[in-house]
Amino acid sequence: MHALYNLLYLKNVQNIPEILKIQKAFYKSQKTKNLNYRLSILKSLKKEILDKEQAILDALYNDFKKSNFETFISEFGLVISELNLAIKNLKKWAKPKRVKSSLLTFPSKDYIYKDPYGNVLIIAPWNYPFLLALEPLIMAIAAGNTVVLKPSELTQSTSKIITQIIKNVFLEDLAISIEGGVETSTELLAQKWDYIFFTGSTKVGKIVAEAAAKNLTPVTLELGGKSPCIIDETVNLNLVAKRLAWGKYFNGGQTCIAPDYVIVKSDIKEKLIDNLKKEIIKMYGNTPEKSNDLPRIINKNNTLRLKKLIENQDVIFGGHIVEDENYISPTLINAPSLDSTLMSEEIFGPILPILDYKTYEDIESIIYGLDKPLSLYIFSNNKSFADFILNSFNFGGGVVNDVLVHFGNHKLPFGGIGGSGMGQYHGKHGFDTFSHHKSVMKRGNWIDPSFRYPPYRGKLNLLKKIFKFLG
Ligand code: NAD
């Protein structure tokens, strides 16, 4: 049986339309509507991932020297938490929710059903290659959809293990991982899906949105951008520098919500720079190249892209590049010009530009000059300044007095706005994203006032009174 399955798997994996046809037929069979079936799949997935823990950690190290610690805290552990959450809450989340009825439609019982969309396509990036492929998969399956997942072609070891896990847990009619690059993605996007969940760059996000629009397919776009970090003069600079350096250089600076650049109150700029240098040395040593904790840049193209970004800039720390090893040391740049490429494109590497401000207007002119960011960070002990900043700008999500950590609470919806994306997920928000909220009204038959039926003569005044009463 398994040999036959493997044969089918290999045969069909070549043929994207055929896979979708099989998944459409499976979805129509109603099997995914069964909550016990979904639960059993999620439990098998959890077991398979736990069994492969070391192999997963090794795959990420192999792909870009990501340390086991960073993989565990930012990928493996979060995937297991998401699975635990879905397994524990699935029945509660999926239950039709009764809402209050309206006087206008009395008598009725009104509900919101959580309906799966159907056949879902998930396209994942390379920077958190395990988390960002598995987390949407878990919630799409929990919500009762079928899934075709395309992991990133740039993290081959991780993508292989993802494909293996999915093959061991799912039959291809429910979920399959199809590895490949732009060509595969393009062919996948040419099909008619019921939902597309994309994580990646803003540039490719626009291609995905265009393909989805052709079939009016709903999309979630989890994109990137330039996330600012504002620091005022009321802070404890030791703590700020420690938290900022950690968040900037985590994953080698290749984090969608990494602080992209700093805007610091001009009076404390020099002190901040001194503290950042000290913290970087404490974390990665005097020769960060030898540190086991600093991941490499994902590939040569990105190493060269980053190298170009710092050419002709005022490098005040780091800037050491070993092209053959895709290595760039933690780097600080002083006051880049706002029209430089460094300040107009997402950096996505271990390079931190430091700008300064004197007035709020200085901050405003920098942030409004760019797309709406995925994250915004403020370090300040002045509550009213922090609140003012929080309310002044549009951004996906943010933190006061730290960076990145909002990602860790599944109760907070995660997603961008404008150029940094649309839609959100994490925890129940993810389950809801992959569920159509279907309104259902169950009408009572025991009374049927003639009021709504023609002839309407003499009824308008009463109608007006009813609407006034409804508020
Ligand atoms: P990318 O956009 O280059 O690639 C993402 C996926 O799209 C990959 O699977 C790739 O194969 C596919 N793809 C690439 N070109 C394509 C094309 N022309 N047509 C169709 N598909 C195509 O992104 P990346 O380099 O893998 O990831 C980095 C980007 O992702 C950064 O901008 C980062 O900010 C963003 N990101 C966002 C989040 C988030 O949650 N918002 C998380 C991680 C990364």
Side-chain angles (χ1 to χ4, degrees):
M1 179 65 196
H2 207 72
L4 177 67
Y5 168 57
N6 273 342
L7 204 78
L8 275 172
Y9 193 100
L10 288 174
K11 187 174 145 259
N12 288 327
V13 91
Q14 310 299 332
N15 188 340
I16 288 167
E18 188 62 25
I19 288 167
L20 183 56
K21 206 168 137 195
I22 292 168
Q23 293 203 339
K24 276 187 194 294
F26 187 67
Y27 182 70
K28 261 170 81 183
S29 77
Q30 304 293 329
K31 193 152 181 205
T32 69
K33 302 277 173 68
N34 183 320
L35 295 183
N36 288 327
Y37 172 70
R38 292 186 212 170
L39 276 174
S40 74
I41 295 279
L42 292 173
K43 285 177 186 163
S44 309
L45 181 60
K46 180 178 163 188
K47 184 177 177 310
E48 178 72 14
I49 291 174
L50 287 173
D51 286 349
K52 290 208 162 34
E53 175 177 335
Q54 195 51 50
I56 294 164
L57 301 184
D58 290 346
L60 276 114
Y61 184 81
N62 200 32
D63 280 331
F64 60 116
K65 287 206 161 85
K66 181 161 176 167
S67 67
N68 286 354
F69 182 90
E70 286 199 359
T71 298
F72 197 97
I73 193 173
S74 67
E75 309 215 31
F76 188 88
L78 293 180
V79 165
I80 295 297
S81 307
E82 201 77 353
L83 271 166
N84 286 340
L85 195 76
I87 291 167
K88 185 167 164 227
N89 293 294
L90 180 61
K91 291 199 168 162
K92 191 168 76 193
W93 291 346
K95 201 171 162 206
K97 187 178 165 216
R98 175 118 188 238
V99 295
K100 245 176 112 183
S101 315
S102 160
L103 191 65
L104 270 183
T105 54
F106 177 83
S108 74
K109 286 182 179 167
D110 301 3
Y111 300 89
I112 301 170
Y113 280 50
K114 303 289 176 68
D115 226 16
Y117 276 95
N119 307 112
V120 170
L121 171 66
I122 296 171
I123 299 179
W126 56 263
N127 65 325
Y128 287 79
F130 188 69
L131 174 74
L132 300 176
L134 266 292
E135 186 172 342
L137 169 86
I138 291 164
M139 286 307 165
I141 293 295
N145 301 281
T146 69
V147 173
V148 170
L149 163 70
K150 197 203 78 65
S152 174
E153 69 278 24
L154 300 189
T155 39
Q156 297 233 343
S157 303
T158 310
S159 295
K160 277 207 169 56
I161 203 157
I162 289 171
T163 302
Q164 196 57 51
I165 288 169
I166 292 180
K167 196 165 147 186
N168 290 350
V169 174
F170 299 88
L171 286 177
E172 64 179 353
D173 44 17
L174 179 59
I176 188 169
S177 160
I178 300 183
E179 291 176 58
V182 177
E183 250 176 54
T184 309
S185 242
T186 306
E187 195 185 346
L188 285 165
L189 287 171
Q191 316 302 315
K192 188 171 193 289
W193 302 94
D194 297 310
Y195 202 96
I196 299 176
F197 189 101
F198 172 80
T199 309
S201 59
T202 302
K203 188 174 131 223
V204 179
K206 289 178 186 171
I207 296 172
V208 173
E210 210 177 317
K214 289 200 177 110
N215 293 309
L216 293 182
T217 301
V219 283
T220 293
L221 299 175
E222 295 284 344
L223 311 177
K226 289 187 86 63
S227 300
C229 176
I230 300 161
I231 304 170
D232 81 0
E233 70 286 6
T234 63
V235 296
N236 167 349
L237 274 174
N238 289 330
L239 185 65
V240 172
K242 195 158 43 165
R243 290 182 174 178
L244 178 57
W246 168 78
K248 178 68 193 187
Y249 302 113
F250 193 92
N251 211 41
Q254 303 162 113
T255 303
C256 54
I257 49 171
D260 189 278
Y261 61 97
V262 165
I263 315 175
V264 59
K265 188 73 189 280
S266 52
D267 325 346
I268 59 161
K269 181 176 168 189
E270 288 314 315
K271 265 199 192 148
L272 173 73
I273 291 170
D274 287 345
N275 279 283
L276 277 170
K277 289 178 184 173
K278 275 186 212 137
E279 289 303 332
I280 294 170
I281 292 168
K282 262 197 225 161
M283 289 178 199
Y284 301 106
N286 281 312
T287 40
E289 201 178 340
K290 292 193 185 139
S291 162
N292 291 323
D293 300 327
L294 187 71
R296 294 305 182 249
I297 306 305
I298 189 66
N299 63 8
K300 187 68 157 244
N301 276 351
N302 273 290
T303 308
L304 295 176
R305 177 183 65 78
L306 290 164
K307 183 180 173 197
K308 213 152 178 245
L309 284 187
I310 59 174
E311 272 169 18
N312 305 320
Q313 293 292 352
D314 180 10
V315 177
I316 48 175
F317 187 79
H320 178 213
I321 299 175
V322 184
E323 274 178 40
D324 287 345
E325 290 178 28
N326 295 327
Y327 167 78
I328 301 186
S329 65
T331 297
L332 302 174
I333 305 286
N334 182 38
S337 119
L338 290 184
D339 50 23
S340 62
T341 321
L342 186 68
M343 278 313 296
S344 46
E345 286 178 9
E346 180 183 17
I347 295 174
F348 223 56
I351 299 165
L352 184 63
I354 300 174
L355 306 162
D356 61 82
Y357 75 94
K358 287 196 175 64
T359 63
Y360 166 75
E361 284 69 31
D362 297 338
I363 299 176
E364 199 187 50
S365 67
I366 297 169
I367 295 179
Y368 276 132
L370 296 160
D371 257 343
K372 293 172 181 170
L374 183 56
S375 298
L376 184 145
Y377 305 111
I378 311 149
F379 284 95
S380 174
N381 287 321
N382 177 345
K383 195 177 163 304
S384 59
F385 175 72
D387 283 342
F388 178 67
I389 294 289
L390 285 178
N391 289 314
S392 299
F393 300 104
N394 285 122
F395 54 92
V399 188
V400 176
N401 289 327
D402 209 335
V403 294
L404 310 192
V405 292
H406 59 310
F407 195 91
N409 181 358
H410 65 79
K411 296 213 186 268
L412 293 171
F414 181 83
I417 175 172
S420 57
M422 58 179 84
Q424 62 268 123
Y425 71 138
H426 281 193
K428 182 174 183 295
H429 304 289
F431 180 87
D432 285 343
T433 282
F434 287 108
S435 307
H436 168 61
H437 292 207
K438 185 159 84 179
S439 296
V440 173
M441 187 180 279
K442 296 183 177 170
R443 286 278 272 147
N445 291 333
W446 55 273
I447 183 174
D448 192 33
S450 64
F451 182 69
R452 71 165 157 166
Y453 302 109
Y456 300 127
R457 199 151 49 88
K459 294 178 178 174
L460 186 58
N461 279 343
L462 179 58
L463 183 66
K464 286 180 179 173
K465 278 188 189 131
I466 293 174
F467 267 82
K468 251 189 203 150
F469 179 73
L470 288 173

